[in-house]
């Protein structure tokens, strides 16, 4: 199973920017023909009293990035050349972006709705 650790959560003012990082390890073949590049990593958030919301998805294979309409134009995702660190860059942050942000991984195709592995989450608070 993939291990994921998020970092970078902070308190920011409305209109500000923030980048979250997800350190991932353990991408291994699953024994049924899939390779480590068949994994995708997604970013989600959960605000107090609300359900988990999908934000982005990026494939380790490259060339497939999905950003949900709700954050398109403000949020982007990327990965490093080793495909073990996954970033969520957020700009023009709004109070309603306040939530715990999670990264997740699975053998899947973006957009992916079912993930096997989850990080512990990092808190983002947007307030003036």
């Amino acid at each position: 199973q993939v291990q994921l650790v998020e970092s970078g959560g902070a308190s920011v003012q409305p209109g500000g920017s923030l980048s979250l990082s997800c350190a991932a390890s353990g991408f291994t073949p699953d024994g049924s023909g899939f390779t480590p590049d068949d994994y995708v990593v997604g970013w989600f958030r959960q605000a107090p009293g609300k359900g988990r919301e999908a934000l982005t998805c990026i494939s380790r294979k490259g060339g497939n990035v999905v950003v949900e309409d709700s954050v398109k134009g403000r949020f982007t995702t990327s990965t490093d050349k080793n495909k073990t660190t996954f970033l969520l860059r957020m700009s023009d942050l709004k109070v309603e972006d306040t939530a715990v942000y999670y990264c997740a991984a699975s053998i899947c195709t973006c957009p992916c709705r079912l993930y096997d592995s989850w990080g512990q989450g990092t808190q983002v608070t947007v307030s003036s």
Side-chain angles (χ1 to χ4, degrees), residues 38-97:
D38 287 315
Y39 283 86
V40 302
V41 173
W43 280 96
F44 293 75
R45 67 184 178 188
Q46 187 162 17
K50 296 188 176 182
R52 190 169 290 175
E53 178 186 11
L55 301 173
T56 66
C57 180
I58 185 168
S59 168
R60 296 189 86 239
K61 196 171 292 185
N64 189 9
V65 177
V66 173
V67 179
E68 300 291 337
D69 288 344
S70 61
V71 294
K72 193 170 290 184
R74 298 192 301 123
F75 290 15
T76 62
T77 188
S78 62
T79 185
D80 64 351
K81 63 179 181 179
N82 295 321
K83 297 180 282 188
T84 57
T85 299
F86 299 84
L87 297 181
L88 178 68
R89 291 188 175 90
M90 305 180 290
S91 62
D92 190 22
L93 284 163
K94 307 177 188 301
V95 172
E96 51 266 37
D97 293 319

